[in-house]
């Protein structure tokens, strides 16, 4: 039977996504003046396929393979990606970027959580208390229909259990803010919007002050936060740069571990197949987020893998439930898909971007593609991963990757007059991301 899970990564995605917005939002180039890099597709497949340079094999999560970032941050990064980008186009070569549509508004506004609100998407909310989200009957899973399909604003947040559990935790955080608003005496007509604002601002603050510093380094995060973006400055409507969506922000694929300990009652389990989504989350898979993020006075959480250009076998050999049926065997590899996506939208080389922004390009030896018989410049996605390894020992993004990611995230928040960057100066947060994820 052919898989129907084509809304996630399949080359045969449906042409009309179920969660597409009413109006189109676009992708465009951040560095349109730079020429596209054209690499033989056979080489891209050789680099990313099983046994290629991107395959770290069946090794365990040995200490030397791990960075110093808590294991929850790349999961949060994936959630953020689903909040601001949704490219439903087929995986193919030579795509016209002007024809791509983003099924998300380019804002960090938790659209993947709220959908069109209690009026537009009432199935996401409680019948008798529509200010609150509907939860699964036992409170340990997102709500599902009788076939087990998740009822949520973005079906990709059910692709694996870690991201669906994060989605659930943020549903609960919103519901807790509803209770707080009522305790403060907020008028019934304003309770929902009050809770939305609190949830969004706390989430956006976590992105700015916790997530970004851990990913790009505090000096760069603070520089761009204070001075604003230098390269990402849309003249009119905000858009998602392809250098971000199809290269730099795919860094987190390297950080996924072989195994995760989900809670204190069960043993570690493999990422795939054990945490494959699109099905109900059993009690034994309920996530204790204190094992994924460091909290004050608590034990050190599990660590993410280094950003070094190598992916765990579970991502090199993705399940059919994720990819759909593939005529080309290498398309089961997420690394091949990342390389193919960048080539398809005409991204420049990593070296070209480095020269353009005034960073020192990596040498051919540092990139390491000579082992695959290649001597040209480097696909941007792979360059950014190798740059992180060479310049930051795999602990965070380097000059090119860090600049692209930080400028786009800060730039999107600056373009949104309702974001935390434009909040009332009197507003004060009272929860970290871990606090949000552990609220009941």
């Amino acid at each position: 039977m052919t898989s129907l899970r084509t809304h996630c990564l399949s080359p045969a995605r449906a042409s009309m996504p179920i969660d597409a917005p009413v109006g189109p939002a676009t992708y465009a180039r951040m560095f349109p003046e730079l020429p596209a890099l054209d690499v033989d597709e056979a080489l891209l497949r050789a680099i990313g396929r099983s046994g290629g340079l991107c395959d770290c094999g069946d090794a365990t999560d040995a200490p030397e393979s791990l960075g110093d970032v808590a294991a929850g941050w790349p999961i949060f990064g994936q959630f953020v990606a689903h909040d601001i980008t949704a490219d439903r186009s087929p995986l193919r070569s030579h795509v016209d970027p002007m024809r791509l549509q983003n099924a998300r508004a380019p804002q960090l506004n938790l659209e993947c959580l709220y959908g069109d609100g209690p009026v537009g998407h009432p199935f996401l909310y409680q019948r008798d208390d529509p200010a609150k989200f509907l939860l699964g009957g036992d409170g340990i899973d997102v709500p599902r229909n009788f076939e087990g399909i998740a009822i949520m604003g973005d079906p990709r947040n059910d692709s694996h259990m870690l991201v669906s559990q994060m989605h659930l935790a943020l549903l609960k955080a919103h519901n807790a803010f509803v209770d707080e608003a009522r305790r403060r005496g907020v008028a019934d007509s304003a309770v929902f919007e009050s809770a939305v604002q609190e949830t969004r601002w706390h989430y956006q603050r976590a992105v700015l002050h916790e997530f970004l510093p851990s990913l790009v380094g505090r000096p760069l995060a603070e520089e761009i936060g204070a001075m604003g973006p230098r390269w990402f400055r849309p003249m009119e409507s905000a858009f998602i740069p392809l250098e971000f969506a199809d290269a730099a922000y795919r860094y987190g694929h390297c950080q996924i571990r072989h195994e995760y300990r989900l809670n204190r009652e069960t043993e570690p389990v493999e990422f795939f197949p054990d945490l494959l989504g699109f099905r109900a989350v059993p009690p034994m898979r309920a996530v204790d987020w204190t094992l994924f993020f460091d909290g004050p006075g608590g034990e050190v959480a599990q660590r993410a893998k280094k950003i070094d250009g190598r992916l765990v076998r579970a991502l090199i050999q993705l399940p059919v439930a994720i990819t759909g049926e593939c005529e080309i065997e290498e398309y089961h590899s997420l690394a091949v898909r990342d390389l193919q996506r960048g080539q398809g939208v005409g991204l420049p080389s990593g070296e070209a971007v480095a020269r353009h922004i005034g960073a020192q390009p990596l040498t051919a030896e540092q990139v390491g593609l000579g082992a695959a018989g290649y001597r040209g410049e480097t696909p941007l996605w792979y360059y950014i991963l190798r740059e992180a390894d060479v310049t930051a020992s795999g602990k965070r993004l380097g000059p090119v990757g860090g600049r692209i990611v930080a400028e786009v995230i800060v730039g999107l928040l600056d373009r949104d007059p309702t974001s935390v960057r434009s909040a009332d100066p009197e507003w004060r947060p009272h929860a970290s991301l871990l606090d949000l994820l552990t609220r009941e």
Side-chain angles (χ1 to χ4, degrees):
M1 179 177 177
T2 301
S3 170
L4 298 180
R5 296 291 174 255
T6 55
H7 53 246
C8 188
L9 291 173
S10 170
R13 293 182 183 94
S15 60
M16 292 296 291
I18 61 173
D19 57 346
V22 174
T26 61
Y27 295 90
R29 287 279 301 274
M30 187 170 176
F31 305 107
E33 59 273 42
L34 298 182
L37 177 68
D38 190 11
V39 178
D40 185 84
E41 291 191 17
L43 175 66
L44 298 182
R45 295 177 191 174
I47 295 169
R49 70 188 177 199
S50 180
L53 292 178
C54 291
D55 183 0
C56 70
D58 295 320
T60 60
D61 298 315
E64 60 270 19
S65 74
L66 303 178
D68 58 4
V69 172
W73 286 115
I75 308 304
F76 182 69
Q78 181 182 19
F79 182 90
V80 173
H82 292 176
D83 188 27
I84 60 177
T85 65
D87 174 10
R88 306 302 197 196
S89 63
L91 186 62
R92 60 179 182 262
S93 302
H94 306 300
V95 176
D96 178 2
M98 298 304 294
R99 297 178 65 85
L100 296 177
Q101 295 295 314
N102 184 8
R104 286 281 166 267
Q107 298 174 321
L108 286 89
N109 62 359
L110 293 176
E111 182 182 357
C112 61
L113 217 66
Y114 291 106
D116 215 14
V119 175
H121 286 157
F123 52 84
L124 299 177
Y125 299 87
Q126 298 179 22
R127 178 191 294 272
D128 296 330
D129 189 358
K132 286 188 173 183
F133 282 112
L134 184 67
L135 306 177
D138 52 12
I140 64 168
D141 194 9
V142 298
R144 296 179 183 274
N145 68 14
F146 71 95
E147 291 187 320
I149 296 174
I151 302 172
M152 53 172 46
D154 191 323
R156 296 172 300 167
N157 281 356
D158 197 34
S159 59
H160 59 80
M161 292 184 186
L162 295 181
V163 73
S164 73
Q165 285 277 284
M166 183 166 286
H167 189 105
L168 171 68
L170 289 170
L171 298 180
K172 291 180 176 181
H174 166 91
N175 287 355
F177 281 124
V178 169
D179 292 336
E180 284 188 10
R182 287 172 173 157
R183 287 194 295 269
R184 295 198 315 269
V186 174
D188 287 346
S189 60
V191 163
F192 176 72
E193 289 302 329
S194 173
V196 170
Q197 178 174 281
E198 286 296 310
T199 307
R200 282 176 175 162
W201 282 0
H202 278 85
Y203 158 71
Q204 291 168 354
R205 183 188 178 279
V207 170
L208 283 172
H209 299 291
E210 297 182 72
F211 173 61
L212 267 188
S214 74
L215 178 58
V216 308
R218 190 164 297 279
L220 182 58
E222 291 181 348
E223 173 199 326
I224 296 174
M227 306 298 294
R230 177 181 177 187
W231 302 101
F232 178 59
R233 305 179 111 178
M235 296 301 294
E236 297 178 358
S237 299
F239 63 88
I240 299 296
L242 292 164
E243 293 89 340
F244 172 89
D246 289 328
Y249 206 71
R250 295 181 179 231
Y251 73 89
H253 298 161
C254 268
Q255 291 187 302
I256 297 299
R257 295 166 55 99
H258 291 276
E259 294 185 335
Y260 291 91
R261 186 183 179 197
L262 303 181
N263 53 61
R264 288 175 168 78
E265 286 71 49
T266 58
E267 294 299 313
V269 295
E270 293 184 2
F271 185 65
F272 288 143
D274 295 331
L275 298 181
L276 182 63
F278 310 123
R279 53 182 171 160
V281 176
M284 68 183 65
R285 297 285 192 260
V287 170
D288 178 351
W289 292 110
T290 64
L291 296 175
F292 287 77
F293 295 94
D294 299 327
E299 63 180 274
V300 175
Q302 300 165 95
R303 307 333 269 175
K305 291 184 71 67
K306 292 178 179 178
I307 307 172
D308 60 4
R310 300 194 302 161
L311 281 62
V312 297
R313 182 59 58 85
L315 300 185
I316 296 293
Q317 298 177 351
L318 287 167
V320 173
I322 293 286
T323 65
E325 301 292 343
C326 295
E327 294 182 3
I328 299 173
E329 179 62 29
E330 286 88 350
Y331 281 175
H332 286 289
S333 167
L334 187 54
V336 170
R337 289 171 170 275
D338 289 335
L339 290 162
Q340 178 69 50
R341 182 67 70 180
Q343 171 115 322
V345 298
L347 293 185
S349 72
E351 291 89 348
V353 176
R355 290 189 293 267
H356 187 72
I357 68 171
Q360 179 65 41
L362 299 183
T363 66
E365 290 72 22
Q366 289 171 324
V367 172
L369 288 182
Y374 180 65
R375 294 291 183 271
E377 295 203 335
T378 314
L380 184 58
W381 173 74
Y382 191 72
Y383 180 94
I384 284 167
L385 303 183
R386 294 299 307 138
E387 179 192 60
D389 190 38
V390 170
T391 65
S393 301
K395 297 177 180 179
R396 61 191 58 85
L397 293 176
V400 170
R403 172 68 61 176
I404 293 172
V405 168
E407 289 211 2
V408 171
I409 287 178
V410 172
L412 293 180
L413 288 170
D414 283 346
R415 300 284 299 194
D416 178 4
T418 70
S419 84
V420 73
R421 295 269 288 177
S422 302
D424 185 332
E426 299 298 316
W427 181 80
R428 292 291 182 271
H430 56 271
S432 65
L433 179 63
L434 180 57
D435 294 329
L436 288 185
L437 297 178
T438 54
R439 300 193 78 180
E440 292 291 343

